[in-house]
Amino acid sequence: MSSSVPPWHPHSLENRLPFLRRRAALTEATRRFFTGRGYLEVETPYAVPVPGEEVHLRAFATRREHQDGTVEPLWLHTSPEFAMKRLLVGGSGPIFQLARVWRNGEGSALHAPEFTMLEWYRPDADMDSLIAETVEFLREVLPAKVSVIGVATSLAGIERLTVAEAFDRYVGADVLSSEGDAAALAAQAGTGLRKDESWEDLFFRLLLERIEPHLGRAHPTFLTHWPAAQAALARRDQADPRVAERFELFVCEIELANAFVELTDPVEQRERFITDRARRHALSGPDWNLDEDFLAALALGLPPCAGIALGFDRLAMIASGADRIGQVLWLPPTDLA
C-alpha cells in the first residue's frame, strides 16, 4: 500500500508511531534476552566482497575506492552469516547481531529491499536446543497471543513438523523419494508441471501454495529436516543423509526465521558453493568471486554450532499487530509506506 504523502511527513509518521514504539521496545528486550544468556553483540561489515551464495537472492553492488586509486567491487551483504562464522572460528563464543541487510528486487507487505536481520550463533548447540532457545526468546519478547492480518497464534505451545510429514499431510506426496524427479513429484501431488519447471521449482510452489498456509496458525510451527538439496549451509542429518538439519519458523502464517545446524566441513561447503554458483550464474550471469577467505576459516576449524536468521521487521509486525512491513520501518521506501 502506498501513501499519498512521504514517509517523513507528520501525518505518515504519526500513523506509524505506535508500531515504531513497539519496535523500539522489542529491540531493547531482544538485547536483554541475549546478553542475559551470555551472548556477545557484534557488528560486522555491510559492504563485503561476497554477499552470500544463495541462488535466488539478488545483491546490491557498490565499490571501494582505495588510496592508491584502485577500485574494489563490493556488495551489500544479504546476511551477516559468513562474517559471524569467521568470528566463531576466531573464538568469539556465542554471538548475536541486529544487522541491516539488503536484497535487491524485493518489495511487498512482508518484504523490503533493506531490512533488519537478527542472527545468533551458539557453539555446541543442536537443533533441539536451538528450537528451545527460540521458543524462550519468542515468549520473552512477545505477548502470549499474537495476531497479524486476522491470524491469531498462541505461544503456549509449538508444532514440530518435518518437511516430509508436511508434504505427506498437505500434498499427499513422498517428497524424499521423488527428489530430483519433477514428474514423479507432480504425479503424486496431482498437479501438472509448468513449462521448464524443475523439481526444486515445483517443491517451492507446493510448499508456498499448499503447505505454508497451514503453518504457524494455532501455535508457532517449526518446519524441520529439509531435503538435502535445500541444505544450504546446514549439515546433513547423520541418521538420514537424505535430509539436512535445517528448520524454518512460522508464526501467524508468516515465515519468520531460517536456521541451521551448521556445516563445518570446508570440502563439502566448497562443493555446494560451486554448485550454487553455477545455478545462479545460469540464471543471472557472473557476479562475485568464490569466498576463499570464508572457506579458509572453515578449514581452520568452525566449532560445532547452530545458528538462526530471524526477520526482525517481521517480528516487529507480529509484536505490534501491523499488517505490512512498512508500518514498522522508520523511513520505508515510498511504495511500502
Side-chain angles (χ1 to χ4, degrees):
M1 179 185 299
S2 61
S3 173
S4 58
V5 297
W8 50 261
H9 192 280
H11 292 162
S12 178
L13 187 57
E14 180 183 18
N15 290 333
R16 299 199 312 281
L17 267 179
F19 305 107
L20 294 167
R21 293 187 196 281
R22 183 64 183 91
R23 180 193 178 109
L26 179 66
T27 302
E28 292 181 8
T30 296
R31 288 195 163 102
R32 280 197 306 271
F33 178 88
F34 286 104
T35 57
R37 284 159 177 76
Y39 281 81
L40 186 65
E41 183 172 6
V42 300
E43 291 181 291
T44 58
Y46 290 171
V48 295
V50 179
E53 290 293 356
E54 298 90 344
V55 174
H56 300 290
L57 294 185
R58 295 165 55 193
F60 285 84
T62 185
R63 66 182 197 171
R64 179 186 176 190
E65 299 176 359
H66 290 272
Q67 296 267 334
D68 62 4
T70 59
V71 174
E72 177 187 7
L74 294 174
W75 306 81
L76 299 180
H77 69 174
T78 58
S79 163
E81 180 171 5
F82 289 3
M84 294 181 75
K85 286 181 178 177
R86 287 177 172 92
L87 295 178
L88 290 169
V89 171
S92 66
I95 52 177
F96 79 99
Q97 181 171 188
L98 285 161
R100 299 297 287 178
V101 299
W102 290 261
R103 297 181 179 182
N104 214 342
E106 298 197 357
S108 72
L110 292 175
H111 298 84
E114 177 184 353
F115 60 99
T116 299
M117 187 81 82
L118 167 63
E119 291 207 17
W120 74 90
Y121 295 83
R122 178 177 284 279
D124 296 320
D126 58 14
M127 184 181 293
D128 289 341
S129 63
L130 185 58
I131 288 176
E133 186 170 53
T134 304
V135 173
E136 290 175 8
F137 170 65
L138 294 179
R139 289 174 177 168
E140 180 78 15
V141 302
L142 296 177
K145 189 171 185 179
V146 291
S147 179
V148 177
I149 320 176
V151 179
T153 300
S154 168
L155 302 187
I158 66 167
E159 176 187 35
R160 285 186 62 159
L161 190 66
T162 68
V163 170
E165 290 168 341
F167 268 80
D168 178 62
R169 180 181 302 178
Y170 299 118
V171 180
D174 184 342
V175 71
L176 297 180
S177 71
S178 71
E179 184 170 349
D181 188 339
L185 180 57
Q188 291 181 31
T191 188
L193 278 175
R194 296 172 179 173
K195 183 180 180 181
D196 299 325
E197 189 171 38
S198 66
W199 181 90
E200 182 183 56
D201 294 335
L202 178 58
F203 171 87
F204 282 110
R205 174 160 67 91
L206 294 171
L207 184 69
L208 179 65
E209 295 178 356
R210 300 197 193 177
I211 296 175
E212 290 190 5
H214 299 280
L215 306 182
R217 292 188 61 84
H219 301 289
T221 300
F222 290 88
L223 187 65
T224 73
H225 296 88
W226 287 60
Q230 275 72 52
L233 280 78
R235 73 181 186 187
R236 289 176 184 254
D237 189 331
Q238 294 179 348
D240 185 353
R242 298 177 303 167
V243 299
E245 293 183 279
R246 168 185 176 183
F247 70 77
E248 287 192 356
L249 167 63
F250 294 80
V251 180
C252 295
E253 293 185 21
I254 295 173
E255 179 194 333
L256 184 58
N258 188 25
F260 306 142
V261 177
E262 304 295 344
L263 177 65
T264 59
D265 182 343
V267 175
E268 184 177 352
Q269 189 63 82
R270 180 184 292 274
E271 292 172 352
R272 291 192 196 177
F273 280 171
I274 291 172
T275 298
D276 289 345
R277 289 169 62 80
R279 292 168 60 208
R280 190 176 67 249
H281 293 167
L283 291 171
S284 53
D287 38 45
W288 46 85
N289 295 326
L290 186 65
D291 196 338
E292 294 290 353
D293 186 68
F294 175 69
L295 293 170
L298 288 189
L300 185 60
L302 176 66
C305 59
I308 182 168
L310 185 149
F312 194 76
D313 308 282
R314 293 184 181 183
L315 185 67
M317 290 179 62
I318 292 168
S320 65
D323 59 14
R324 63 184 188 280
I325 201 167
Q327 291 172 300
V328 296
L329 302 179
W330 282 96
L331 286 174
T334 302
D335 61 325
L336 302 180

